[in-house]
């Protein structure tokens, strides 16, 4: 029986030679390949244009939506006011006083106490009567009575007529003429006239008080 070690040793140089032959490097000529720039530029330009157009369309749609919302809010406000006015008109038409007044204008009168007929026993319950309108029917309530504190009796004060105005005496006219020539005399005469006029007013007030 032969050992495998000599066979392995004889094969090792062959494997090494084959590995060296495979490991040899060869110089390959350099190839210069230039990528086309136009498609890339066109792609970037289209993306930018698409973004700008999309942004403009988005802004336009948002503005249109805001305008539509404002118009709808105004329409809703108008309809709410219309509803309130119609509700007030309906409440006015449903007023019992208005209905009673319209019924009286049409000649309707207040009904009397009704009577009921029992079919089983053929008896009449109640006293029937014909409505003739003899009983007055008040529609509007009576006006409220004011208390005495809010409605006091009038207080009348009789004032006497003032006396006739007195004519000026010649002495007063002379004093006025002298006062025109002398400034001091004029001031003194004016003060005297004011005092006389004040006294007359005081006398009139005392007479009116009496």
């Amino acid at each position: 029986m032969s050992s495998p070690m000599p066979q392995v040793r004889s094969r090792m140089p062959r494997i090494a030679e084959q590995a060296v032959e495979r490991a040899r490097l060869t110089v390959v000529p350099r190839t210069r390949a230039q990528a086309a720039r136009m498609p890339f530029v066109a792609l970037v330009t289209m993306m930018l244009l698409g973004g700008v157009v999309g942004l403009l369309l988005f802004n336009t749609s948002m503005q249109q939506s805001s305008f539509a919302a404002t118009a709808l809010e105004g329409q809703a406000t108008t309809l709410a006011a219309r509803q309130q006015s119609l509700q007030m008109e309906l409440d006015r038409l449903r007023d019992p006083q208005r209905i009673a007044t319209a019924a009286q204008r049409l000649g309707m009168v207040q009904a009397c106490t009704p009577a009921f007929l029992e079919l089983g026993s053929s008896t009449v319950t109640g006293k029937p009567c014909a409505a003739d309108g003899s009983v007055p029917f008040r529609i509007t309530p009576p006006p409220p009575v004011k208390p005495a504190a809010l409605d006091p009796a009038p207080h009348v004060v009789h004032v006497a007529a003032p006396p006739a105005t007195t004519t000026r005496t010649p002495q007063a006219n002379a004093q006025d003429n002298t006062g025109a020539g002398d400034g001091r005399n004029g001031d003194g005469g004016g003060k005297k006239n004011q005092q006389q006029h004040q006294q007359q007013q005081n006398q009139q007030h005392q007479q009116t008080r009496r």
Side-chain angles (χ1 to χ4, degrees):
M1 184 174 182
S2 61
S3 62
M5 293 299 294
Q7 296 178 0
V8 173
R9 290 178 180 175
S10 61
R11 291 180 181 177
M12 289 295 293
R14 295 178 182 177
I15 295 173
E17 291 178 357
Q18 291 178 359
V20 170
E21 290 179 356
R22 291 178 180 177
R24 289 176 181 176
L25 299 176
T26 58
V27 179
V28 179
R30 182 180 296 177
T31 57
R32 296 180 180 180
Q34 296 181 356
R37 295 182 179 179
M38 291 301 296
F40 179 72
V41 174
L43 178 61
V44 173
T45 305
M46 291 296 293
M47 290 178 64
L48 291 175
L49 289 175
V52 172
V53 171
L55 183 61
L56 291 175
L57 291 176
F58 178 74
N59 290 333
T60 305
S61 63
M62 289 295 293
Q63 290 180 359
Q64 290 180 354
S65 300
S66 64
F67 292 156
T70 304
L72 291 175
E73 287 179 357
Q75 187 177 1
T77 304
T78 305
L79 292 176
R82 175 77 174 169
Q83 181 184 3
Q84 291 181 358
S85 62
L86 291 176
Q87 185 67 34
M88 293 174 63
E89 184 68 18
L90 182 60
D91 294 338
R92 187 185 67 82
L93 294 175
R94 288 179 176 177
D95 189 8
Q97 294 181 358
R98 192 199 69 83
I99 297 174
T101 304
Q104 284 187 354
R105 290 176 182 176
L106 294 175
M108 301 177 68
V109 295
Q110 185 180 4
C112 298
T113 304
F116 300 95
L117 176 62
E118 296 181 4
L119 298 178
S121 60
S122 299
T123 57
V124 177
T125 304
K127 295 180 179 181
C129 63
D132 53 357
S134 59
V135 179
F137 180 71
R138 180 181 292 274
I139 298 175
T140 58
V145 180
K146 291 184 179 180
L150 298 177
D151 192 10
H155 181 68
V156 180
V157 178
H158 297 281
V159 179
T165 55
T166 58
T167 57
R168 300 187 67 181
T169 60
Q171 296 178 357
N173 294 328
Q175 290 178 359
D176 293 338
N177 293 328
T178 55
D182 189 3
R184 294 180 180 178
N185 294 331
D187 294 336
K191 291 181 179 179
K192 289 181 179 179
N193 293 330
Q194 290 179 358
Q195 291 178 359
Q196 292 177 0
H197 184 65
Q198 186 69 25
Q199 290 177 0
Q200 291 177 1
Q201 288 183 352
N202 293 332
Q203 292 177 0
Q204 290 178 1
H205 285 299
Q206 290 178 0
Q207 290 177 2
T208 54
R209 289 179 180 176
R210 291 177 182 176

